[in-house]
Amino acid sequence: MEECILLVDDEKGILDMLEIVLKKEGFRNIKKAQTGKAASQLIQEFNPRLIVLDVMLPDVNGLEFCMELRKKTDVPVLFLTAKTSDYDKLTGFAMGGDDYITKPFNPMEVTARIKVQLRHQHLYSQIDQSNMLEFQDFSINKNSCEVKKDGSVLEFTALEYSLLLYFAEHPNRIFTTSQLYENVWEQINFGDEKTVVMHISRIRKKIEPETDKVKYIHNIRGLGYKFIPHKKEAL
C-alpha cells in the first residue's frame, strides 16, 4: 500500500501506537505531527491521502483546522476525540470530517475505517464505464465521477459521492441507516446512525433545488431513507 497517511495528535503514545498497527497492515508512508502547525507543514510537503486528526491540539482546534483544510482539499479526515456526545459528532461532520472515532479506541478499528475511506477514495478516482444518470436538478457522470448542477461541478467527498450514487442506482427503495452504512461504508460493527444522517444532510444541501424542501432523498418515518428519481424530461 502506497497511500500516504498523516497522523495528528498531541499524544506521542497514540501516534506511535497507530503507526505500529498501520505498518503491520502494510502502510509504509506514514507521517506524524503533534501540533496544527507541524501538520500544515507536512500537508504542504507530501500531500497526504488521508488525515487522522485529534480535535484537541495544543495550538489549534482540530475542527477549525479541518474547516480551513476543506477550502483547499477533499482529503478524507477522521477525527479522534474524547468527546462522545451526539452534538460533538454532528459538529465534526458539519466541519467537514468524514468519520468520528472516540477515545479510548481500538487501533484495529481505526485501521479498518482508514481502509474504507481509502477504498472509497480509490473508487471515486477510478474511471468506470461511461454512464450518465440524469435528474431534473443534477446529473451524475459515472465515467468522471462528477456531479453537476446548473452546469457546474459540485464538490463531493468520496463517501458523499458513493452514498449519492448508491441511492441513484437503487431508486424508490427504502434503506435503513444500518443498511446504508453496511453497503456504502462497508462496515457492520463500526459507526452509528448519526454518520449516515449527517452525510445525507450534506448531500441534500448540494443537490436539492430548494433548501427548505426535500425532493430527492426522503426520510420515511420509522423505516429509513428513499431516493425518488425525478427524471429529466427528454427534449
Side-chain angles (χ1 to χ4, degrees):
M1 300 180 186
E2 297 298 329
E3 289 85 359
C4 304
I5 309 296
L6 174 59
L7 308 176
V8 187
D9 197 294
D10 62 342
E11 296 185 46
K12 185 177 183 299
I14 288 179
L15 294 177
D16 292 343
M17 175 184 64
L18 287 176
E19 182 181 27
I20 291 171
V21 174
L22 286 169
K23 285 187 173 180
K24 286 183 178 179
E25 291 297 310
F27 294 94
R28 293 290 176 263
N29 197 352
I30 300 172
K31 300 294 182 181
K32 300 181 291 183
Q34 292 183 259
T35 65
K37 182 178 180 180
S40 296
Q41 183 63 38
L42 289 171
I43 289 171
Q44 293 179 7
E45 290 179 1
F46 84 111
N47 190 27
R49 292 285 304 279
L50 181 142
I51 300 174
V52 178
L53 179 63
D54 185 18
V55 171
M56 302 300 291
L57 295 171
D59 60 340
V60 67
N61 182 290
L63 297 176
E64 295 176 358
F65 184 87
C66 180
M67 187 168 60
E68 289 299 313
L69 189 65
R70 281 289 169 257
K71 297 177 182 179
K72 306 172 185 177
T73 177
D74 286 325
V75 60
V77 174
L78 280 66
F79 282 121
L80 288 181
T81 178
K83 297 182 178 181
T84 60
S85 72
D86 288 343
Y87 174 79
D88 291 318
K89 292 181 181 180
L90 293 176
T91 300
F93 289 124
M95 290 295 190
D98 294 278
D99 209 343
Y100 193 100
I101 304 168
T102 56
K103 299 177 180 179
F105 56 82
N106 184 329
M108 293 305 299
E109 175 184 347
V110 178
T111 303
R113 295 198 189 198
I114 287 174
K115 288 181 178 179
V116 169
Q117 293 289 339
L118 292 175
R119 185 158 56 248
H120 279 286
Q121 190 183 44
H122 176 71
L123 292 174
Y124 185 64
S125 63
Q126 284 277 301
I127 294 180
D128 196 358
Q129 68 274 18
S130 180
N131 216 339
M132 288 289 296
L133 297 176
E134 297 274 1
F135 303 99
Q136 289 178 5
D137 303 281
F138 68 97
S139 64
I140 302 174
N141 186 334
K142 293 174 62 177
N143 182 58
S144 61
C145 294
E146 289 182 336
V147 181
K148 285 188 176 182
K149 182 178 180 181
D150 299 327
S152 299
V153 177
L154 301 176
E155 293 295 327
F156 271 73
T157 66
L159 264 173
E160 289 170 355
Y161 174 82
S162 296
L163 180 56
L164 176 60
L165 182 62
Y166 187 79
F167 272 126
E169 291 183 329
H170 300 85
N172 298 312
R173 289 179 56 183
I174 299 175
F175 294 98
T176 66
T177 53
S178 296
Q179 289 172 324
L180 291 171
Y181 198 85
E182 180 177 348
N183 289 303
V184 178
W185 275 256
E186 300 177 18
Q187 296 282 339
I188 297 177
N189 297 320
F190 303 141
D192 54 39
E193 179 181 342
K194 297 296 187 298
T195 302
V196 177
V197 172
M198 181 53 67
H199 277 74
I200 289 175
S201 175
R202 279 156 51 171
I203 292 172
R204 280 174 172 165
K205 290 178 181 179
K206 297 175 183 180
I207 67 171
E208 294 289 356
E210 299 181 57
T211 57
D212 59 340
K213 294 182 180 179
V214 175
K215 183 175 180 179
Y216 291 98
I217 304 178
H218 291 256
N219 182 4
I220 310 302
R221 189 180 298 274
L223 296 176
Y225 290 90
K226 177 171 70 172
F227 179 83
I228 298 180
H230 296 276
K231 290 291 186 178
K232 187 174 182 179
E233 296 181 2
L235 298 177

